[in-house]
Amino acid sequence: MTTKIFKNILITCLCATVIIISLFLVVLYNNFKSETITKLKNDAVYLTAGYKAQGIDYLESIETSDRITLIDESGEVIYDNHANVEKLDDHSDRIEINEAFEDGEGYSERYSDTIGKVSLYYAKAIDNDTVLRISTQASTISALLLGMTSYLFWIIIIVAIIAVLIANHLAKAIVKPINDIDLNKSNIISPYKELSPLFARINEQNYTINKQIKNLNQRKEEFKTMTENMAEGIIVINQKKDVLTYNESAAKLFGAHDISENNSVFQFDHSLKFMEAIDNVVLGQKSEYKLEKDDKVYSLLINPILVNGKPSGATILIIDITAKELQDKLRREFSANVSHELKTPLTSISGFAEIMKNGLVDPEDVKDIAGNIYDEAKRLIVLIDDIIRLSRLDNSDVDVKKESVDLKALAIEVIAHLKNAAKQKHIAVSCEGYATVNGVPYLLEEVIQNLIDNAIKYGKDDGYVKVSLCEKDNEAIIKVEDNGIGIASSDLDRIFERFYRSDKSHSKAIGGTGLGLSIVKHAVEYHNGKIEVESKLNEGSTFVIRLPK
Ligand code: ADP
């Protein structure tokens, strides 16, 4: 704009200068011309007087650059100081001569064939028969003007420089108030009256835009508040793959930092799979895939946002499915283990039954074989019982009624049940301390029963099992200690897994199912408690359970 104004002002100044100079030259020319004619007139007066007094001799005595001519009534040239009169043609057709014969004087300006230049002519009648004409070359005027050319040139240069400076200053001065306007202001006052309608329109549009931005920000805030507390990550992008909004969970799940909105979505992840999915979604194709990152598994649901059927962005939903994946894995392992564990006793039972059916058993062995079948069947029942209990816990299908449970009374009851097993191995089982907890009685009984049962099962003959109870820091603590076979440190992390037994051959002889500690863990977690174990091979094990009161 500044350049345009500058150019216009400069052109105006230069045009004005050229017009003024041209007009000045025209005026000067006319002025000079009228002065020349006046001079010719004055010269004609004294030449006429001289001619009248002395005749042609007077005219011949005059030294002048002007042309003096005498013409008679018939148009014939009698005297000419610049040309041979015999060579001159009839002058009766000359305007100035005719006018002089008619009105006493005449004037004209034209090209002269005699001298080959434009001339100014003035003719004056001396008497009725003769006219004296005096003429001067127009080039004299042009020469005067030409002489002024160099001055005019410098005048134009100086005017041009001044015009550039003025135009520059004016252009800046005109544009400055417009540049100084703060377009973010709600009510802009026009610096020029002529621009008022434009600024009124801008103010109107600013108001509408601000209102819409406010609405959008409000919606964005609402969306943020809604999504901020979600465990799932959400990212919304536009068609240019730039982030419009996202929640903190999204950044956290991707492990991304310093995410800035209106920047590429690949700030979150630049894996090939993610880039491919984003490229597809902007074309309108939804996709879903699993992303494994730092021991976690996420499900990514990438859906296009369609406006009037056309993709105009996308939403990316990130769900942490690590727990679900682990559960699925455990469930698959559990099913495989259950089938295996059930098949083993059943194969034994079916084998024994088959040899009995085929009469291949001596009568005295029948008792032993029946005993084997009985033992295997019992093992099956225990196993199925454990599986049922575990699946009930899995489905949280427990009697949720919690009550105050006297753990001491529970432990004494369990010890009484296991009295015979302990007696067989000469294991001294003791219980000291006291604790109560708000919980589900039969689940807590399972916990104590499994721990003491294991301590006796994996205890050494003539050993001990110490059960101690206490309450500390608003927790009920159950400690079951034995000096049995202990657990290898490599197995400690795995003993709570379903069907895991640290020493398969040994455990089989002892007759466990590998589900006891899983049930304990589940029951403890159901009470929001924690379980810890310390053990040394051949020295013994200590299980500590902390239950919040
Ligand atoms: P099981 O039915 O085999 O006893 P558990 O889940 O109760 O199954 O125990 C898992 C494994 O942990 C056992 O096979 C055993 O190897 C080990 N274990 C549990 N308690 C003890 C303990 N008190 N002393 C030594 N080993 C133990």
Side-chain angles (χ1 to χ4, degrees):
M1 187 179 176
T2 316
T3 322
K4 206 164 181 186
I5 294 175
F6 169 78
K7 263 191 202 165
N8 286 341
I9 294 176
L10 188 63
I11 289 169
T12 312
C13 285
L14 293 178
C15 285
T17 311
V18 169
I19 291 168
I20 288 168
I21 288 175
S22 306
L23 288 174
F24 170 74
L25 288 178
V26 170
V27 170
L28 195 72
Y29 179 80
N30 285 332
N31 193 36
F32 187 73
K33 205 161 102 178
S34 80
E35 267 184 20
T36 309
I37 291 166
T38 310
K39 182 186 164 282
L40 288 179
K41 272 182 183 177
N42 292 338
D43 288 352
V45 170
Y46 78 80
L47 284 174
T48 309
Y51 173 70
K52 274 182 179 169
Q54 294 173 32
I56 285 179
D57 291 343
Y58 173 74
L59 296 179
E60 280 172 346
S61 69
I62 297 293
E63 275 182 30
T64 174
S65 61
D66 293 340
R67 186 179 165 201
I68 301 164
T69 318
L70 273 179
I71 303 111
D72 70 9
E73 191 182 14
S74 61
E76 192 183 329
V77 178
I78 310 164
Y79 171 77
D80 194 300
N81 63 344
H82 278 192
N84 185 353
V85 288
E86 278 160 22
K87 285 184 182 165
L88 291 174
D89 59 359
D90 182 9
H91 273 45
S92 56
D93 58 343
R94 310 295 197 269
I95 300 165
E96 71 280 359
I97 308 249
N98 283 332
E99 281 175 1
F101 278 120
E102 275 170 29
D103 305 327
E105 63 175 358
Y107 163 80
S108 88
E109 181 182 352
R110 67 168 183 281
Y111 182 77
S112 162
D113 289 333
T114 314
I115 51 171
K117 280 177 184 167
V118 174
S119 299
L120 286 175
Y121 298 93
Y122 177 75
K124 187 175 166 56
I126 298 171
D127 47 42
N128 286 342
D129 303 330
T130 324
V131 161
L132 180 127
R133 188 183 74 176
I134 180 158
S135 71
T136 188
Q137 285 165 26
S139 62
T140 323
I141 303 170
S142 310
L144 176 94
L145 293 178
L146 258 169
M148 289 172 72
T149 321
S150 67
Y151 295 108
L152 290 176
F153 172 77
W154 285 113
I155 288 171
I156 287 174
I157 294 286
I158 291 165
V159 169
I161 292 169
I162 294 170
V164 165
L165 294 174
I166 292 175
N168 186 35
H169 175 76
L170 283 180
K172 281 182 182 162
I174 291 169
V175 173
K176 193 178 180 292
I178 299 173
N179 280 341
D180 287 349
I181 292 169
D182 180 4
L183 287 172
N184 293 322
K185 263 170 64 175
S186 55
N187 192 16
I188 305 165
I189 296 162
S190 168
Y192 301 112
K193 204 172 76 198
E194 294 75 9
L195 295 178
S196 293
L198 173 72
F199 282 99
R201 187 101 183 89
I202 291 175
N203 281 338
E204 218 171 90
Q205 282 183 347
N206 270 359
Y207 175 76
T208 319
I209 291 168
N210 283 340
K211 208 169 142 191
Q212 281 172 351
I213 289 176
K214 214 171 149 191
N215 275 345
L216 275 176
N217 282 340
Q218 201 174 326
R219 285 203 191 157
K220 208 168 152 186
E221 276 311 305
E222 280 168 13
F223 178 80
K224 275 238 171 226
T225 328
M226 263 162 54
T227 55
E228 217 47 67
N229 299 317
M230 281 171 60
E232 291 81 13
I234 279 194
I235 306 168
V236 183
I237 60 167
N238 62 15
Q239 203 53 10
K240 287 194 289 182
K241 303 172 196 171
D242 288 340
V243 179
L244 292 180
T245 185
Y246 68 98
N247 67 352
E248 273 311 306
S249 296
K252 219 185 279 170
L253 296 180
F254 272 115
H257 305 285
D258 305 325
I259 298 291
S260 51
E261 287 176 359
N262 301 321
N263 259 330
S264 169
V265 67
F266 302 124
Q267 299 169 89
F268 285 96
D269 188 18
H270 34 257
S271 67
L272 222 77
K273 218 168 176 183
F274 185 69
M275 285 168 64
E276 210 174 283
I278 297 295
D279 286 346
N280 286 340
V281 83
V282 292
L283 298 174
Q285 290 167 22
K286 63 178 178 182
S287 47
E288 185 178 343
Y289 73 90
K290 272 185 206 164
L291 174 80
E292 284 180 29
K293 210 171 179 150
D294 308 330
D295 296 337
K296 296 257 183 190
V297 188
Y298 302 108
S299 173
L300 260 82
L301 304 164
I302 304 174
N303 284 304
I305 301 170
L306 299 175
V307 176
N308 297 329
K310 277 187 180 172
S312 64
T315 55
I316 302 154
L317 187 67
I318 312 113
I319 307 167
D320 185 350
I321 54 164
T322 315
K324 190 179 160 284
E325 285 286 296
L326 192 73
Q327 245 175 20
D328 285 352
K329 190 178 156 228
L330 288 176
R331 202 160 285 152
R332 281 195 301 275
E333 278 176 13
F334 183 65
S335 310
N337 282 332
V338 164
S339 320
H340 176 75
E341 293 297 324
L342 289 176
K343 207 177 162 195
T344 317
L346 274 172
T347 314
S348 300
I349 291 170
S350 130
F352 287 132
E354 194 181 6
I355 51 171
M356 281 177 83
K357 187 187 91 179
N358 294 337
L360 298 172
V361 181
D362 290 337
E364 62 268 25
D365 293 333
V366 168
K367 204 179 164 191
D368 281 349
I369 298 227
N372 282 338
I373 292 175
Y374 176 74
D375 286 346
E376 291 298 338
K378 258 190 107 177
R379 218 163 87 83
L380 263 180
I381 291 167
V382 173
L383 189 67
I384 288 167
D385 267 355
D386 277 355
I387 292 169
I388 290 170
R389 267 182 285 179
L390 204 57
S391 67
R392 278 175 69 193
L393 272 166
D394 263 352
N395 300 325
S396 299
D397 185 15
V398 284
D399 185 359
V400 283
K401 206 174 146 234
K402 283 187 179 171
E403 56 189 77
S404 173
V405 182
D406 180 348
L407 294 174
K408 173 102 179 186
L410 215 61
I412 288 172
E413 206 182 307
V414 170
I415 292 168
H417 269 128
L418 298 169
K419 194 174 66 189
N420 286 339
K423 209 171 164 187
Q424 275 176 20
K425 295 178 86 173
H426 305 283
I427 290 175
V429 185
S430 63
C431 178
E432 60 180 36
Y434 177 82
T436 60
V437 76
N438 196 40
V440 183
Y442 87 87
L443 286 182
L444 294 168
E445 190 181 337
E446 291 272 12
V447 171
I448 296 171
Q449 145 85 37
N450 273 304
L451 291 181
I452 300 176
D453 186 37
N454 278 351
I456 296 170
K457 269 198 305 190
Y458 304 107
K460 287 180 192 157
D461 286 352
D462 304 314
Y464 64 81
V465 174
K466 288 179 189 168
V467 180
S468 37
L469 304 162
C470 71
E471 288 176 6
K472 205 179 160 191
D473 301 332
N474 217 23
E475 279 182 338
I477 302 170
I478 308 166
K479 195 160 138 190
V480 179
E481 189 187 342
D482 66 63
N483 61 344
I485 60 168
I487 307 161
S489 55
S490 56
D491 288 328
L492 273 178
D493 285 344
R494 303 202 58 193
I495 53 171
F496 295 100
E497 286 174 21
R498 292 165 187 196
F499 295 108
Y500 188 81
R501 281 181 237 164
S502 57
D503 178 350
K504 291 262 152 84
S505 55
H506 200 87
S507 301
K508 196 167 181 198
I510 291 168
T513 61
L515 291 173
L517 286 180
S518 296
I519 295 171
V520 170
K521 192 182 167 215
H522 254 75
V524 169
E525 279 171 359
Y526 183 81
H527 287 86
N528 299 318
K530 278 182 196 147
I531 183 162
E532 288 157 16
V533 57
E534 272 179 28
S535 187
K536 259 196 179 162
L537 216 53
N538 291 321
E539 285 186 23
S541 315
T542 306
F543 287 82
V544 180
I545 286 163
R546 296 169 196 279
L547 302 169
K549 276 175 73 69

